[in-house]
Each structure stands twice: as C-alpha cells, then as structure tokens.
Amino acid sequence: MTPVQSSPAPSLAIENVRKTFTVETRTFAALDDVSLTLRHNEIVSILGPSGCGKSTLLRLVAGLETPDAGALFINGRRPVAGPARDCAIVFQDHRLFPWLTVSGNVDLALDSCRLAPAERRERVRRYIALVGLGSFASAYPRQLSGGMAQRAAIARALVAEPALLLMDEPFGALDSLLRTRLQGELLDIWERNRVTILLVTHDVEEAIYLSDRVVVMQPNPGRIRAVVDVGLPRPRQREETAFIALRKSLLELLS
Amino acid sequence: MPLDSKALDTKDRAGILHPPPLPWNGREAERGDGGRRLFRPAGAGRLPDRLLPFALPGALLASWQAVTAAGFMPEQVLPPPSLVLRTFIAFLGDGEIANNLLVSLRRIACGLGIGVVTGFAFGLLLGVSRRAEAYLGPLFRAFAAVPALGWIPVLILILGIDEALKIVILSKACFVPMVIATLDAYRNIPARLREAADVMRLSPRTRLLKLTLPAMMPMLFGGLRLSAGQAFVSLIVVEMLAATEGIGYMMVWGRTLFQIDIVMVGMAIVGVTGFLLDALLRRIERGIGARMGERTGSHG
Ligand SMILES: Nc1ncnc2c1ncn2[C@@H]1O[C@H](COP(=O)(O)OP(=O)(O)OP(=O)(O)O)[C@@H](O)[C@H]1O
Ligand SMILES: [Mg+2]
C-alpha cells in the first residue's frame, strides 16, 4: 500500500507560494509561504476554516491563478503557468455546460486525449455509470439535482484518467450514504489508476478515511498549520480507536 | 368570492416563492400570464387570451371608422378604413403589393445578411483581441454614433440611388447593433465555464463550438432582432428618399398623389411584416433559450 516512487520528481511540488488579492486598494494575503510536496500516488487532504485559501491553493495548482511569489511544479516540469496536461479539477461548484447533456459534458474532458471514437464513447459511459448517473446520461444539467450535477462533474474530471486530480469539496453536496459510496469508488480508482489526489474537504472523517496525509490550514493569512500523517492501514474502519483518536486531534488543530 | 380570493392568494404566494427566471430561459411567457390572470377583473366580458392583443387595435379601427363616417375630416387627410381596405385589396390583386414587398424583403435580407455576418465577425474580433479593441474600438464607436441614415447624402453622391445604396445603408444599420451585441455576448461568457474549458484544455475549435457560441447565442439573437428592426426602419426611409420601387417608395408615391390610403396601406404592410419578422426571431430565440436554460437553483 505504500506509494511507489515511479519517477524521481514528485507529483506536485508547491514551493513557498504566496498569493495576494487586492480588493479596493486593500491588499491581503490569501496564501502566505505555503509549501507542500505530494509523492506519486499519494492522497492528501486539506482541512481548514472557510476563507483560509483552500480553493485558491487548488486554483494555483490548476494553473488558473499565478502565484505572487514561489512556484509550483507538476512532475518536476517547469513552473506551472496555465492548466497542465494530465491534471483535472473538480470545482467547488459543478460548472457543467448547461447546453450539453451529461454525456456531452463528460465527453468534453476527452477533447485533448487521442482516443478512438468507440473507446471514447465507452469511457464516457463507464465513468457516468461509475458515479451512478447511468440513466441520466442524456439529461441536461438543469434536470439534475445539485448532488447529481456534482457527480457528473466528478465523472468529467475522472474520465481523462489524469495523473493529478484536484478536488474541491467534491462530496459536499451529497447525502452521507452516497458520499461513503463515492469515497470507496475514489479509493478504487486511485488503486487502479495510480493517480495523485489533492482534496479539499470540510469533513474530518473523510480526510482521515481517504488520505495518506492531512494538511490543516489557518486563515489570515492562509498558512499551513500542520501536516498530519494518517498512517492507518487500508481499508480503514471509522470506528477503530486510532481513527477516532486522530479525528479528535485534528478537530483540536482546527479549533 | 371567498373561494376566488383564496385561489388568488396561493397563486400570489407561489409567484413570490418561485425564483425569478433567467431572462433567457424562456419562462417569461409563463410568468407574464400568471400576472395578467391576477389583475383580470372577475365577471362578464372576458376575452380568450389569444384575442387580447387585438382588442385595442380593433377599438381604434372602430373609432377611426366612426370619425370618418361623421365627416370630421376630409377624405384626403384621413381616408376611412374601408377605403384603405379597398385600396389594399386592389393592390393585392394587381400585384403592386407583392412586387414592392418582394423588393423590400430582398433588400432586408441582403442588408441583414451582410450586416449581421460582418458585425458578428468584427464584434468577435474586438472581444477576443485586446489589441484590436485598442485600435478599432474608438473608431467603431464614432462610426456607430452617426446614424445609418445620416450617411445617405454622402452615399448618394458616391453610389447613386441604385441597389448598392440601400444595401450599404441597411448593412450599416445592422452592423452596429450586431457588433455591440456580439461584444457584450462575448464578454458575458461565464468566467466559471471559461475556467472549466481552460483546465480541460479544449482545442480552439471545440471551445468555439461547445462554449463560445452556445454561451453567446441568446445575446446574439437579441442583436439579430435589434438589427432586423434597424434594417426595417432604415429601409423604409431610404426607399422614401431614393428608390423607384419597394414599400417605402409606394408610400411616397401615394403621398405625391395625395392618396393617403396608399400611404396607409404601406404603413400597415410595414407594421405587419415587421411584427411577423420579430415574432419569428423571438420564437427561435425562445426555443434556443429553453434548451440552454440553466436550472435556477443554488448550485447554478
Ligand atoms: N478572485 C479573488 N479576488 C479577491 N479575493 C479573493 C479571490 N479569490 C479568493 N479571494 C479571497 O481569498 C480568501 C481565500 O479564498 P478561498 O476561496 O481560497 O477560501 P476557501 O478556503 O476555499 O474557503 P471555503 O471553505 O469557504 O471554500 C478569501 O478571503 C477570499 O475572499
Ligand atoms: Mg473553497
């Protein structure tokens, strides 16, 4: 279960990143001196109060923002400047194209992959079925509930089988049963596809259940407060003592 | 009565509870209906909804007939509707209307086609390229400030009074609203979706077909409708000033003969044709809007 170091460069390296925003002449640091390295095939969760810069950090990795200081490296390539190949993101909101069906939306993520049409169709079908939307493949986003739309967005991020997967509270809008199921599915995909996952969540249990390490952030300015190794063998049991003890200490870190 | 007022009450509350529909998702009509039903007085004399638009024109027509029948005004100034109708039928019979309308519609089609296509291309250029906007934006705004019809004197000198004059004037009239609509539409592509397209690294072609155009479509249609309206207005004026055929020409011709009935036939044709054109475009627009409407929910 230990991640295999398939190449010397880390999957993602965030080095002393600072990001400021200016709102009406007032400048504040949304992120200040944030450093974090993700090994290949590692799952890292980010926990932290609202507004501490979790989404901003993901947007920097996705190449949607540029840092004011420091740099980010995916697979040791030159610093991230714009969206990278092999990296997908599930946004906090679903961001489906309203004029495309679920299939159309998921298919869009394969635009930059060279796949034979038949394989492409099969992939789209498979990932839509995976998130439990099989019978809604030809529905439009306006016909979906919030949680269904979010699942479609997850399928869209997974379908290209990226090497680095960024997820911003992907299961936040789902009921607990479905959430547990999709967490399981995510771990299955992770085991099959050797994908590195950076996941933002508000759910401490989810963080412990999924991740190798949990990053706890603090606001004003957004900084990393602690990085906690989970170190429990998978599959993890939410009721076991070590799990509960870890949950307690993480909650303490958060308050 | 208590039953009635209760029904009104729930409807009212339902109206408040529903989030306001997006302007382009095609639900306006429903809401408009609901509102009208609220304010309609109970009792006799209810008209079916489809007849409502004809109530006022009908009343006007009746009073017009009454005024002329009473002889308040000489026939040369205000001919009775019956005469206008007779002239209309006569012109319909001898092909006068069909010929002139066809000429006018052809000019509209040409001017609208050229103006809309070039306006769309130019608007997109201004939207996509900051540099193009810097070089051409101010010039365009100055150009747009001079109404299409203000160009007539100069253009007559250059182009004469042939078809070219009308096509150029109409194209100009359509070009300006189309550029503005295209630019607005481009700038209003939701940043959320542009970012989603960025991270998926869509090819330029896919991006154009799956994001840019669909997102712009509702506003583009608004521009198209505006352009069609502008084309119509300009056409009639150009035809009245410099033409030998067309509906506008027919109206001037009627006036020089002191046959106001001919002028009125022309006005009626312009009004009805313009209305039908707009209705057609609106229908297409609503169809598109309904397809593209995003669910109005918290996860939008
Ligand atoms: N484009 C922007 N312009 C100005 N300020 C911004 C911008 N984006 C983010 N911020 C600010 O940066 C800070 C961090 O925002 P961010 O969205 O990263 O928080 P978050 O940790 O994801 O919060 P949440 O858990 O509520 O999603 C906030 O104070 C926010 O107001
Ligand atoms: Mg966030």
Side-chain angles (χ1 to χ4, degrees), chain B residues 229-288:
Chain B
Q230 291 287 312
F232 227 73
V233 172
S234 313
L235 174 81
I236 299 307
V237 178
V238 192
E239 283 184 348
M240 291 178 89
L241 288 176
T244 52
E245 43 183 358
I247 295 295
Y249 168 72
M250 196 183 91
M251 289 161 70
V252 181
W253 175 66
R255 201 209 54 176
T256 48
L257 297 178
F258 285 103
Q259 275 199 271
I260 303 304
D261 50 323
I262 298 182
V263 180
M264 287 181 160
V265 167
M267 287 167 69
I269 293 171
V270 171
V272 169
T273 318
F275 173 82
L276 290 179
L277 187 64
D278 192 57
L280 177 74
L281 290 177
R282 253 166 66 183
R283 184 164 215 145
I284 302 174
E285 185 181 9
R286 260 215 299 280
I288 291 177

Side-chain angles (χ1 to χ4, degrees), chain A residues 59 62 64 83-85 87 89 91 93-100 108-109 111-112 140-146 156 173, chain B residues 27 190-193 195-203 206-207 209-212 214-215 290-295 299-300:
Chain A
R59 292 173 57 80
L64 293 171
R85 198 150 30 87
C87 170
I89 181 168
F91 290 96
D93 50 344
H94 62 72
R95 306 204 184 193
L96 299 173
F97 291 16
W99 43 83
L100 296 179
L108 218 49
D111 185 54
S112 58
Y140 285 89
R142 64 175 176 279
Q143 298 165 321
L144 304 179
S145 71
R156 183 177 66 176
Chain B
R27 292 194 201 143
R192 298 166 41 253
L193 300 186
E195 285 182 355
D198 288 344
V199 293
M200 288 187 282
R201 297 159 51 94
L202 297 186
S203 67
T206 311
R207 199 183 170 99
L209 294 180
K210 297 288 171 71
L211 172 65
T212 312
R291 266 183 55 109
M292 318 234 291
E294 208 170 343
R295 188 185 164 117
H299 290 274

